[in-house]
Amino acid sequence: MDKDKSGHVVETAVEARQGELGPSVLMLLGVSVGLAVLILAVTWMIFFKN
């Protein structure tokens, strides 16, 4: 990471795009949240339903 004379950070285009969220990250988040909800629902049905 380079800095110019005024102290501002100067990045290349590749360095600036490294944190970009793509569709695969969104799908991973959706699937993991869905599985967490499913596991919590099954746990609730097993232990707390009379």
Side-chain angles (χ1 to χ4, degrees):
M1 190 165 29
D2 295 328
K3 293 186 179 182
D4 62 5
K5 292 180 183 177
S6 63
H8 291 99
V9 175
V10 179
E11 295 180 335
T12 65
V14 174
E15 290 173 335
R17 283 194 301 263
Q18 285 182 347
E20 184 176 332
L21 295 177
S24 60
V25 176
L26 184 61
M27 187 181 346
L28 176 65
L29 178 64
V31 168
S32 61
V33 168
L35 285 174
V37 168
L38 180 67
I39 290 169
L40 287 172
V42 169
T43 303
W44 181 79
M45 285 194 275
I46 291 172
F47 290 109
F48 298 110
K49 190 140 182 166
N50 290 332

